[in-house]
Amino acid sequence: MVGRARQYELIAPVYDLVSGEWPVYRAGRLAGVSGLRLSRGDRVLVVGCGTGLDLRPVHDRVGDAGRFVGLDASRAMLGRAGRRAASLGWSGVGLVAGDATRPPSQRLAEALGDDGADAVLFTYALSLMDDWPTAWRAAVALARPGARVAVVDMQRAQRGPRPLRALADVAMWSGGADPAARPWQAVEQQCTDVDRADLRGGHVQVRAGTLPT
Ligand SMILES: C[S@@+](CC[C@H](N)C(=O)[O-])C[C@H]1O[C@@H](n2cnc3c(N)ncnc32)[C@H](O)[C@@H]1O
């Protein structure tokens, strides 16, 4: 088990309750999925997929013919994601255990099928990884040329009431995120046609763009 993923092994049973999803983080997730510009049947690689909170918004767009391949270092988080996939009745879900900085690329490629991923999604995951650029490179290597990629992540809030900004700090600290990581820079630097969202006083940052063809 790698680095900060260890703590998720412990909090998996309560993650959905304590993660601040509805008041804070849902908006960024939906903006990120929207920025992927998904079509029916698309195959989506989701890195650090956790309990699968991205499953429903992705399924709404790709439908039963689409595929969701989730990678996470915590088997307990993946167990939750598996239950969520079962409750959706979606057979196109593949969940793979592994470290995103040294991913089981062969297994992921097999789960994605020919040509690779049509889209890659990172929601609130890269800023937890000590070497997020390596995780980014490994994931985009599994995407087809011209795929869309979205990074949804966090930094210290820059605007808004002081108590809410303090709460954002607590969320980053307790979740193990590095507030200085700014992994959305990879989208800015390597993609074209970039969609941007700056939410929750700047705490939540979303970038989605197109990889080179
Ligand atoms: C804050 S949670 C976000 C989960 C999910 N993407 C979401 O939006 O709810 C971060 C997730 O990243 C996973 N993670 C952390 N480091 C990882 C690594 N090196 N490789 C794979 N997964 C990792 C954790 O296990 C955890 O499930």
Side-chain angles (χ1 to χ4, degrees), residues 2 5 8 15 29 48-50 53 72-74 77 98-100 123-124 128:
V2 289
Y8 287 90
Y15 176 81
R29 183 184 313 287
C49 67
L53 289 170
D72 203 284
S74 162
M77 295 291 273
D99 176 1
T123 45
Y124 309 113
L128 271 73

Side-chain angles (χ1 to χ4, degrees), residues 35-36 50 68 71 111 117 132 141 149 151 174 180 190 196:
L36 293 176
F68 179 111
L71 170 68
W132 70 258
V149 54
V151 173
S174 61
Q190 297 177 33
R196 299 175 180 83

Side-chain angles (χ1 to χ4, degrees), residues 74-205:
S74 162
R75 288 183 185 275
M77 295 291 273
L78 286 176
R80 296 264 150 186
R83 266 174 262 171
R84 182 168 262 122
S87 75
L88 278 177
W90 187 13
S91 61
V93 177
L95 299 172
V96 177
D99 176 1
T101 65
R102 284 177 302 154
S105 297
Q106 184 66 35
R107 283 181 61 204
L108 291 168
E110 283 167 13
L112 287 162
D114 294 344
D115 304 329
D118 299 299
V120 182
L121 177 61
F122 306 86
T123 45
Y124 309 113
L126 284 176
S127 63
L128 271 73
M129 299 177 197
D130 290 333
D131 187 4
W132 70 258
T134 295
W136 160 275
R137 278 193 296 275
V140 301
L142 290 161
R144 65 164 170 77
R148 292 287 289 179
V149 54
V151 173
V152 180
D153 223 303
M154 54 181 96
Q155 63 180 358
R156 296 193 73 187
Q158 296 153 339
R159 310 178 297 277
R162 194 180 288 268
L164 292 183
R165 283 188 277 149
L167 270 180
D169 285 351
V170 170
M172 281 185 294
W173 172 77
S174 61
D178 174 1
R182 300 173 59 85
W184 51 88
Q185 291 175 106
V187 178
E188 296 278 9
Q189 290 162 4
Q190 297 177 33
C191 296
T192 55
D193 198 6
V194 176
D195 295 341
R196 299 175 180 83
D198 172 305
L199 305 167
R200 305 296 187 251
H203 174 48
V204 174
Q205 294 292 319

Side-chain angles (χ1 to χ4, degrees), residues 25-39:
Y25 298 109
R26 185 80 178 166
R29 183 184 313 287
L30 296 182
V33 173
S34 167
L36 293 176
R37 305 179 188 173
L38 296 169
S39 302

